[in-house]
Amino acid sequence: MALRRLMPLGALPLLSSCASVYFPPPAAAPMLTQKGEFSGGLHTNWKANVSAQGAYAVGEHIGLIGTASFLHNNGKRKLYEQDFGELGVGYHTRFGDAQSRILEVYAGAGFGHGKRVERNRSADVTQTVEARMEKYFAQVNYTKKKREEFDFLGRTWQFRYGAALRLSYVNTPELILNGQRIPGEDNIFFEPVSYTRIGLIGPLKFQAMSGWNFGLKNRKYLTAGNSVFSMGLIINVGGDGKGE
């Protein structure tokens, strides 16, 4: 049972071959439960898209979330660059037996800049796409708060798991192809993901998140990749002093 719930750790990301100029940051899953609780995290993936996330419970059921995402990957055939930020506000509550489940609902907006450069085998640039992007999103998180355990390498590890459903509207008020401005594009992205969080030392946790990203509109430069994956470190502190 425990191994099945750890499946997000084994879900290998698929490197998308799409020509999108947008790379979504991981969905925030802070697991807020009480006023004064803070959650912070640092995540990355195979494309070196680094994201820093923070969340704070300003009330017993009200929380704020923020994400800053940075991607600067210059390969032989492709260059990816993106600087993106998101802010949101939402509702969090505990329910179920022994209050062992968490429901979080967030909505917010984001903005940033992206660039994608394609090269041929001779390293000559064949296409350059740049975009200024705006984003509006809503998401629902469900997490089992109660700790579960598994034994590995002679140690008992505690973990929690959950899922998030995120819907985002992204548009490009400024889209430039090979130095020439062209009509902007928009798209609606549906992003269902699951995540597993494993305790390391004290309040420090390791988190792996995997899932899929679907574009609901047929677009040329603002498309969705087939796989979403991130891994990183999370810390929850504050509130009544017990953190998570």
Side-chain angles (χ1 to χ4, degrees), residues 10-243:
L12 295 178
L14 301 177
L15 298 181
S16 173
S17 60
C18 67
S20 183
V21 73
Y22 170 65
F23 298 87
M31 299 187 191
L32 297 178
T33 60
Q34 53 191 301
K35 182 179 179 179
E37 188 174 5
F38 170 80
S39 173
L42 186 65
H43 312 271
T44 189
N45 60 22
W46 305 124
K47 287 185 179 293
N49 188 353
V50 177
S51 298
Q53 294 185 324
Y56 182 72
V58 297
E60 289 301 329
H61 296 287
I62 302 298
L64 302 176
I65 58 173
T67 297
S69 177
F70 308 97
L71 171 62
H72 295 273
N73 188 331
N74 189 3
K76 183 177 180 180
R77 299 289 296 273
K78 296 178 182 179
L79 176 146
Y80 309 104
E81 291 185 354
Q82 178 176 277
D83 298 300
F84 204 87
E86 297 178 358
L87 291 173
V89 62
Y91 172 84
H92 60 85
T93 188
R94 299 179 72 163
F95 65 98
D97 297 338
Q99 300 289 287
S100 63
R101 290 167 172 77
I102 305 170
L103 179 68
E104 298 175 287
V105 181
Y106 296 105
F111 62 92
H113 176 270
K115 181 178 181 179
R116 183 185 179 103
V117 177
E118 304 279 350
R119 304 185 182 100
N120 59 23
R121 292 183 178 180
S122 302
D124 298 320
V125 175
T126 59
Q127 179 176 273
T128 299
V129 182
E130 294 185 69
R132 179 170 62 87
M133 296 172 287
E134 299 174 345
K135 175 179 180 178
Y136 304 93
F137 69 89
Q139 73 179 70
V140 177
N141 302 345
Y142 168 81
T143 308
K144 186 170 183 180
K145 188 76 169 181
K146 183 179 178 181
R147 293 184 179 94
E148 298 201 21
E149 299 177 346
F150 70 99
D151 295 324
F152 184 64
L153 296 177
R155 175 180 168 180
T156 298
W157 304 81
Q158 295 182 335
F159 72 96
R160 298 184 177 94
Y161 56 91
L165 299 176
R166 170 177 271 213
L167 195 66
S168 302
Y169 172 77
V170 181
N171 67 9
T172 57
E174 185 174 291
L175 184 61
I176 299 174
L177 174 64
N178 297 328
Q180 301 295 319
R181 186 162 182 170
I182 62 175
E185 295 185 344
D186 68 345
N187 210 334
I188 299 173
F189 297 103
F190 176 57
E191 187 178 325
V193 298
S194 61
Y195 47 89
T196 299
R197 191 173 295 183
I198 300 175
L200 298 177
I201 302 174
L204 185 65
K205 312 289 191 302
F206 170 80
Q207 178 176 285
M209 177 178 287
S210 64
W212 299 89
N213 185 23
F214 302 96
L216 304 186
K217 294 185 177 182
N218 184 16
R219 295 293 185 257
K220 188 172 183 179
Y221 304 109
L222 200 59
T223 61
N226 292 322
S227 177
V228 175
F229 178 84
S230 70
M231 53 187 176
L233 299 175
I234 299 281
I235 186 171
N236 275 63
V237 295
D240 60 8
K242 297 180 181 179

